[in-house]
């Protein structure tokens, strides 16, 4: 666009307001921080009509998706409870497909992946969406490789982000790509948010499990995996245990769990390790075989890949802390505590709220 970077956020009836607001606010803060060229952000909807958002609030549009023309820098499709109806709207889907061809980047947040999948743009690509709807997306679009774990995934010109607040992570990633890490950090400080969660950071808290699968056979296999993470959990062994072929078991897992048996086993094992890290004093070398890992290093690699942090860091930050020191000792420590939370010379703070150390430490934040 020459003097600006044009960002179009596509909304529709039943869209999640936070999906939209995270994007528009982050780009607005980037402009305030001196982004050059600045962002020009417009929320567009079918026919330019106001939309009733999922929360019940009404959002005015700034344009009609049908009338939007390129070139565009970025197009982002929001998610929300209305995503299936939006994906079934052939007119909206056609215009999103059209815009993708005149945009440098095409993206979705949360269940907005349903609309992108309907355009065919996700076929053959690895994508993510809100963990709760990953199974629905995988079942409805078998040509799409759905990974429910990461916060966002970039596959070529297409980027898909997970649920709701991950729109903020997506916007920060785009701002860093466009204007550099320092401006992205400035925006994150202004928004009082993390600087910034890596794309492979797990979506969910480690202990917020999805509902048990509705299919009885899958539920039985899942229970066995959870109860015996140290057992032989290769796909062949699980299929033999369930009395079905490996291919059929994989189809069932994709339909009811949203991921393959092998990926689910890896997730279950890392979660089992996380529980032992915070509930026991066992070393990593002793935890590894109890959770089905061949070595401590194999466990460490799986943990970092799944959660974006090391097992030792997780244990240090999540395990129950020691008893509080006596009051006299606490008073003696006040001076050092105060100095530790004072702003640093470059304007950042060493408190958890604004520190660069917040990168990848959000195990408890969705």
């Amino acid at each position: 666009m020459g003097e600006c970077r044009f960002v179009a956020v596509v909304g529709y009836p039943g869209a999640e307001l936070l999906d939209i607001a995270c994007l528009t606010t982050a780009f607005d803060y980037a402009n305030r921080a001196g982004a050059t060229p600045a962002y020009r952000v417009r929320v567009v909807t079918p026919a330019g009509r106001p939309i009733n958002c999922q929360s019940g609030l009404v959002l005015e549009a700034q344009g009609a998706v049908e009338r939007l023309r390129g070139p565009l820098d970025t197009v982002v499709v929001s998610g929300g409870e209305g995503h299936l109806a939006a994906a079934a709207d052939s007119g909206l889907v056609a215009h999103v497909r059209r815009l993708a061809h005149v945009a440098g980047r095409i993206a979705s947040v949360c269940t907005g992946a349903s609309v992108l999948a309907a355009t065919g743009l996700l076929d053959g690509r690895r994508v993510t969406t809100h963990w709760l709807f990953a199974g629905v997306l995988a079942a409805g679009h078998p040509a799409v490789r759905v990974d429910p774990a990461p916060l966002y995934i970039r596959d070529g010109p297409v980027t898909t982000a997970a649920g709701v607040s991950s729109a903020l992570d997506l916007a920060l990633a785009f701002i860093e790509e466009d204007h550099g890490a320092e401006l992205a950090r400035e925006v994150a400080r202004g928004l009082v948010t993390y600087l910034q969660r890596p794309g492979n950071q797990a979506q969910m808290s480690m202990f917020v499990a999805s509902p048990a699968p509705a299919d009885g056979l899958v539920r039985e296999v899942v229970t066995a995996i959870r109860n015996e993470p140290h057992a032989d959990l290769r796909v062949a062994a699980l299929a033999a245990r369930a009395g079905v072929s490996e291919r059929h078991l994989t189809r069932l897992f994709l339909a009811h769990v949203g991921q393959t048996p092998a990926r689910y086993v890896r997730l279950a094992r890392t979660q089992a390790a996380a529980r032992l890290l915070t509930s026991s004093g066992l070393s990593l070398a002793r935890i590894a075989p109890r959770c089905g890992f061949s070595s401590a290093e194999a466990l460490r690699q799986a943990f970092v890949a799944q959660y974006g942090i090391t097992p030792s860091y997780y244990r240090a930050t999540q395990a129950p802390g020691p008893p509080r020191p006596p009051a006299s000792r606490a008073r003696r420590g006040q001076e050092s505590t105060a100095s530790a939370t004072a702003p640093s010379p470059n304007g950042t703070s060493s408190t958890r709220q604004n520190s660069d150390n917040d990168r990848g430490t959000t195990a408890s934040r969705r």
Side-chain angles (χ1 to χ4, degrees), residues 71-108:
L72 306 170
D73 286 282
T74 308
V75 174
V76 187
V77 181
S78 63
E81 287 185 349
H83 68 105
L84 292 179
D89 182 339
S90 60
L92 175 61
V93 169
H95 284 293
V96 170
R97 186 187 300 112
R98 172 181 61 82
L99 293 175
H101 292 302
V102 296
R105 294 182 295 222
I106 182 75
S108 65

Side-chain angles (χ1 to χ4, degrees), residues 132-224:
L132 189 60
F133 297 96
V136 174
L137 183 63
H141 300 276
V144 179
R145 294 182 290 129
V146 181
D147 185 346
L151 284 170
Y152 58 87
I153 294 174
R154 177 169 296 181
D155 190 331
V158 179
T159 305
T160 50
V164 195
S165 66
S166 64
L168 191 53
D169 300 284
L170 179 69
L172 288 171
F174 284 164
I175 291 168
E176 180 171 349
E177 178 182 320
D178 295 338
H179 298 287
E182 182 53 40
L183 193 134
R185 283 195 291 269
E186 185 68 23
V187 172
R189 284 194 292 268
L191 295 173
V192 195
T193 190
Y194 297 93
L195 299 178
Q196 65 201 87
R197 297 185 293 178
N200 65 349
Q201 176 87 22
Q203 288 187 40
M204 299 181 294
S205 165
M206 296 178 185
F207 304 114
V208 179
S210 55
D215 183 85
L217 186 148
V218 176
R219 186 166 60 249
E220 182 179 332
V221 175
V222 163
T223 300

Side-chain angles (χ1 to χ4, degrees), residues 252-318:
L252 287 173
F253 260 71
L254 288 173
H256 295 281
V257 183
Q259 52 192 309
T260 65
R263 186 175 290 277
Y264 186 84
V265 166
R266 190 176 180 85
L267 172 63
R269 283 174 165 166
T270 53
Q271 289 180 335
R275 286 190 291 272
L276 286 176
L277 283 167
T278 56
S279 64
S280 76
L282 295 174
S283 67
L284 210 60
R286 294 184 64 186
I287 290 175
R290 293 190 180 201
C291 298
F293 292 99
S294 59
S295 66
E297 177 58 21
L299 168 55
R300 190 194 70 79
Q301 291 179 4
F303 207 92
V304 171
Q306 184 65 41
Y307 300 121
I309 55 177
T310 63
S312 59
Y313 187 90
Y314 177 74
R315 170 174 267 171
T317 56
Q318 300 297 321

